[in-house]
Amino acid sequence: MVFVVEYRSFGMLATLPRSLGEELRPYVGHAAAAMIKQVQRSVSAYSLPLRGVFGRVLVVSCERAVQHYVDCIGDPDVPHDRWIEFYRLRGRTEFAEGRGLEPLHDSATVGARAAWRAMRPIVRGLRVGPDVIALAAESVFVYVDELCATTIEGYQEAEAKAAGAIPLRRRRLLELISQAPEGSACSIASLAKGAGWRVPETAAMVALQRTPGAPGFPAHLLDDTVLHDLDSTEPYLLTADPDTDLAPLKDGMDGWRAAVSPVVPLTDSPAALRTARRALLLTSEDAPGPIVWCRDHLATLWLLAEDFLGAELAKQSLDPFSSLSEKQQARLSETLLAWLETRGGAPDIAQRLGVHPQTVRNRLRQLEDLFGDRLKDADDRLGMHLALRAQRLMRALRPDEGEPGS
């Protein structure tokens, strides 16, 4: 089955000055060579020696991509039939050689960037206007997305002749959405048509975790609109309506845990999946219920989004503590956090900490000696507060790691 791709890039290229195409023509080989080099360097599936069918297909694909792009500049009458058929054939070849759509898409993306980097100094040297440069740059990535969609058509033609085509397409679609949705709208749309799946504007990513000895995941409870990969080492789902789609799982996830990201635009799916997987790591296996909703833990997830950022914030905001012993750090940290959270006097803070007010006064004087005017600066106080909250959360999650500074 062939799905029609709307080739918007051809119209964009036709509006560029024809003289630009003539000026770029001598550099087609240079740009194609840059593409091939970067693809082989960046995409492991294409790092093989340029020999046999593999070598010919990769080299000719890059050369034709650049050549046709340049041919289309300023010329609305360039025929596209042979170009389209070639990249459909490329898709069939990729399927026959056992490569998936992820390396295919990655190779096109990194190749396009390499070609544009190679051509950009030449374009700028022609002294064309910034609007022409902007349109040329935009057209490169629209063109590549449409090239990918055309290749997917051929891939799906070959795949349709194999058993289990639809489930495989849905898994390939989920991989593409979860790894590289930005700038891939055309590719996603083509793959979704072949998978019989309607592309939503927003969705949630659901990270799954299986305990040892647990039975298989109850995928039969899911609606057909839910995409899933249950066979990878980090299984996950995509759902446009998590509250409805996951409701049947409430009492059926024997030995499984799930973390549900917020509902986000499809282009934010990779970040949403990282957040959901982070939530699984940060929540205990004995948490109430098998499903963790990230929307209920946004502050914690944000504070602990990257360990190194929390450590860097603590280093900058709490640097006066570095000269103190671990016990001194612990006592003054809890006092400083209580003061930042309450801005109360010594009696209030003492009651909160369960110590004598005079003890709090002594600690507050030490904090004034250590931090000085930084305690009066709103930005500094915010940094201290966030760093201390992050440290407290990490101690709660990892009690065996001890107090600050341990």
Side-chain angles (χ1 to χ4, degrees):
M1 183 182 296
V2 176
F3 303 101
V4 178
V5 178
E6 296 181 6
Y7 293 100
R8 188 166 61 92
S9 63
F10 296 155
M12 296 171 66
L13 290 168
T15 64
L16 291 170
R18 181 172 292 196
S19 59
L20 176 61
E22 296 305 319
E23 294 283 357
L24 292 178
R25 197 172 304 283
Y27 301 98
V28 165
H30 169 65
M35 288 181 70
I36 296 166
K37 182 177 180 180
Q38 191 60 43
V39 166
Q40 290 214 289
R41 178 185 299 168
S42 305
V43 186
S44 59
Y46 295 98
S47 61
L48 305 172
L50 293 174
R51 295 195 296 263
V53 174
F54 167 81
R56 289 195 301 274
V57 169
L58 180 58
V59 171
V60 174
S61 293
C62 292
E63 291 175 346
R64 286 203 180 189
V66 181
Q67 185 66 61
H68 196 68
Y69 176 89
V70 171
D71 289 345
C72 290
I73 294 176
D75 189 350
D77 299 321
V78 172
H80 309 297
D81 292 350
R82 293 182 64 185
W83 181 91
I84 292 171
E85 183 49 42
F86 174 80
Y87 285 102
R88 285 179 183 158
L89 175 60
R90 168 79 190 276
R92 293 193 290 271
T93 302
E94 293 296 299
F95 181 81
E97 295 193 355
R99 283 185 288 273
L101 290 174
E102 181 190 345
L104 176 63
H105 189 274
D106 288 347
S107 69
T109 302
V110 301
R113 289 174 181 156
W116 177 245
R117 283 196 299 268
M119 288 287 203
R120 184 170 51 190
I122 300 163
V123 173
R124 287 179 173 172
L126 299 176
R127 297 182 181 179
V128 295
D131 54 336
V132 171
I133 294 177
L135 180 58
E138 181 185 0
S139 66
V140 167
F141 297 102
V142 176
Y143 175 85
V144 168
D145 188 24
E146 292 167 354
L147 184 153
C148 284
T150 303
T151 309
I152 287 172
E153 287 183 342
Y155 193 100
Q156 291 183 163
E157 288 174 7
E159 189 181 63
K161 298 176 182 178
I166 295 298
L168 185 56
R169 288 178 186 175
R170 290 169 70 89
R171 182 166 173 174
R172 299 293 191 203
L173 176 62
L174 180 59
E175 288 177 359
L176 183 58
I177 293 173
S178 65
Q179 295 173 14
E182 192 169 0
S184 307
C186 191
S187 299
I188 289 172
S190 291
L191 196 52
K193 287 180 181 179
W197 190 73
R198 185 174 175 224
V199 181
E201 292 186 3
T202 59
M205 304 300 291
V206 184
L208 300 173
Q209 185 180 69
R210 182 180 189 174
T211 59
F217 187 83
H220 63 281
L221 298 177
L222 297 173
D223 188 83
D224 191 51
T225 60
V226 178
L227 300 180
H228 55 77
D229 179 358
L230 304 176
D231 297 323
S232 68
T233 54
E234 294 183 293
Y236 63 107
L237 317 171
L238 180 152
T239 165
D241 186 359
D243 289 283
T244 300
D245 291 336
L246 301 183
L249 298 176
K250 184 178 180 182
D251 299 319
M253 291 182 59
D254 184 21
W256 287 81
R257 298 175 63 234
V260 188
S261 80
V263 175
V264 298
L266 214 60
T267 51
D268 291 332
S269 296
L273 182 56
R274 290 194 298 271
T275 299
R277 285 174 171 162
R278 182 75 171 171
L280 279 182
L281 293 174
L282 296 178
T283 53
S284 170
E285 292 187 7
D286 57 5
I291 301 179
V292 177
W293 296 86
C294 292
R295 65 195 180 199
D296 297 333
H297 307 278
L298 292 179
T300 298
L301 291 168
W302 178 63
L303 279 173
L304 303 179
E306 295 290 351
D307 287 341
F308 80 92
L309 289 178
E312 187 64 23
L313 179 62
K315 185 166 64 176
Q316 292 185 7
S317 299
L318 306 177
D319 58 299
F321 285 161
S322 60
S323 61
L324 305 180
S325 69
E326 293 176 10
K327 289 185 178 180
Q328 288 175 315
Q329 286 188 47
R331 289 196 296 266
L332 291 181
S333 290
E334 69 173 4
T335 304
L336 177 56
L337 181 58
W339 177 75
L340 289 167
E341 290 182 340
T342 65
R343 298 303 298 275
D348 295 331
I349 297 174
Q351 184 176 7
R352 177 172 177 152
L353 298 180
V355 298
H356 193 278
Q358 187 57 42
T359 300
V360 172
R361 292 188 186 97
N362 292 336
R363 292 183 186 177
L364 290 176
R365 280 195 293 270
Q366 292 180 63
L367 290 170
E368 288 176 359
D369 291 340
L370 288 167
F371 289 91
D373 290 341
R374 290 173 61 179
L375 295 175
K376 301 176 183 178
D377 185 277
D379 290 336
D380 280 331
R381 289 199 305 271
L382 176 61
M384 296 173 200
H385 194 179
L386 292 175
L388 290 166
R389 286 290 300 272
Q391 286 185 347
R392 186 168 69 181
L393 287 167
M394 290 305 300
R395 289 199 301 275
L397 291 166
R398 302 169 185 171
D400 57 327
E401 293 188 7
E403 299 294 341
S406 61

